[in-house]
Amino acid sequence: MLRIFLTVILPLVLPTVGYALYVLVVERRRREAEEAHVPAPWWATAPWPWLVFAGVAAMAVTLGSVALTSGVAPHTPYTPAHLEDGRVVGGGASGSGPSGN
């Protein structure tokens, strides 16, 4: 169930929640500016800085999580794909430790 939540539900709901929060903040700032008879702040009318920041933050979180949760140990030997008895055997890192080369 946790896998379904993290891979299906969260990616669908999180952008919607982020957008709703953004709209709430921007509308509140615009309303405050109108009541005070001053121009709204530049960021309240231009979503691009927020979108760029959100994209960079999402990229950093994704790259960090991939770097910390995947891969094999350094210096693990790699065996390329090859044929054995006329059958293709896939390649990959072998867990036999560092090679003697």
Side-chain angles (χ1 to χ4, degrees):
M1 186 65 185
L2 182 62
R3 181 184 64 83
I4 293 171
F5 176 75
L6 291 175
T7 60
V8 177
I9 297 172
L10 191 63
L12 291 174
V13 172
L14 199 58
T16 305
V17 170
Y19 179 72
L21 289 174
Y22 168 77
V23 168
L24 287 173
V25 169
V26 167
E27 289 304 317
R28 188 184 71 191
R29 295 290 184 180
R30 284 184 187 162
R31 195 171 343 117
E32 290 172 356
E34 286 177 4
E35 290 172 359
H37 301 290
V38 295
W42 66 270
W43 55 268
T45 58
W48 293 110
W50 287 102
L51 292 174
V52 169
F53 175 74
V56 169
M59 179 187 64
V61 167
T62 302
L63 290 176
S65 66
V66 167
L68 294 174
T69 61
S70 64
V72 296
H75 307 294
T76 301
Y78 175 78
T79 305
H82 59 280
L83 287 175
E84 280 185 9
D85 299 326
R87 193 172 56 95
V88 177
V89 176
S94 61
S96 63
S99 63
N101 296 344

